[in-house]
Amino acid sequence: MTQCHDFSCASPAQIAIHPASEPARCADQQTAATIDFFHDVVCGWCYVMSPRLRQVAGELGLRVRQRSFVLQASRAEMVARFGSMEQAKQTILGHWEACAQQDDTQRIDIEGMRRESFEYPSGLAGALACQAAQMLEGDEAHWNLFDAIQHAHMSAHRNIGDAEVLLGIATHTGFERNAFARCMESAEALNMVHQDLALARRLGLSSIPTLIAQGLPPLQTQPLNMLRERLRALVG
């Protein structure tokens, strides 16, 4: 398995999809070949994939748009999917083991997370934080914060379901705390999560990470060299 697809990938009940237009995007970013990167902050395969995509996108001059794909949006959804929060953590850490075997720099601390007493978090709070970064500074800031949250989750085994933890990460990344908090708590951030989920549904996506680019089939986690060869087709 090289992607998260055995979680509940249906649209989360607590963040039901609403019809909406696409978020505004910067006009000066329209010339580069574009990839949509669908991800969840709690997805181990996304942690493996993100640095590879960064490297290749930088080499080839590709634009990467960040898209939230929340696997579960609440504790209730975690229990519905896994049976209990204890079973959720046990099962997901089993997934981490597979991810760790494929991670290029061996960053995933499975035993550290196993020792933590907090319940394994769902991905909604982290997605809202990422969309706050998007609102304030755009796709690159979204990606930087996404990576920082994933590092906190999978390498530092912090509780990224806690808003205070997320605000601390955002502040460390360079955001002004109060302005960021207002964006993270806003209806607009939630609506942006809705929009990305709606787009994922229209595209028929059922697993993450998934890369979508015009002229290519959907791409999941793959080795760096293979990813480079697949994405080279976008630049001729």
Side-chain angles (χ1 to χ4, degrees), residues 129-139 141 170 175-184 188 192:
C130 289
Q131 295 293 2
Q134 180 82 42
M135 293 163 60
L136 290 166
E137 296 185 14
D139 277 309
F175 290 99
E176 195 282 318
R177 181 184 178 93
N178 292 334
F180 188 89
R182 287 193 296 271
C183 288
M184 187 171 72
E188 183 177 356
M192 290 169 73

Side-chain angles (χ1 to χ4, degrees), residues 25-37:
R25 306 291 182 180
C26 296
D28 60 0
Q29 295 178 337
Q30 298 304 316
T31 55
T34 300
I35 300 165
D36 286 296
F37 179 23

Side-chain angles (χ1 to χ4, degrees), residues 5-60:
H5 58 79
D6 55 351
F7 289 25
S8 174
C9 292
S11 301
Q14 279 68 35
I15 49 173
I17 300 302
H18 302 293
S21 59
E22 285 289 289
R25 306 291 182 180
C26 296
D28 60 0
Q29 295 178 337
Q30 298 304 316
T31 55
T34 300
I35 300 165
D36 286 296
F37 179 23
F38 287 85
H39 52 55
D40 188 341
V41 294
V42 298
C43 169
W45 292 112
C46 297
Y47 197 40
V48 173
M49 182 68 152
S50 184
R52 297 175 185 173
L53 179 58
R54 275 189 181 274
Q55 180 172 335
V56 174
E59 292 171 359
L60 301 179

Side-chain angles (χ1 to χ4, degrees), residues 187-203:
E188 183 177 356
L190 183 58
N191 191 51
M192 290 169 73
V193 175
H194 291 161
Q195 292 175 13
D196 285 350
L197 285 166
L199 177 60
R201 292 188 72 182
R202 292 196 299 272
L203 294 170

Side-chain angles (χ1 to χ4, degrees), residues 19-20 58 66 68 86-87 94 109 111 115 134 146 174 186:
Q66 307 301 312
S68 299
E86 293 78 10
Q87 185 60 42
D109 187 356
E111 293 309 313
R115 289 191 297 269
Q134 180 82 42
F146 174 78
S186 70

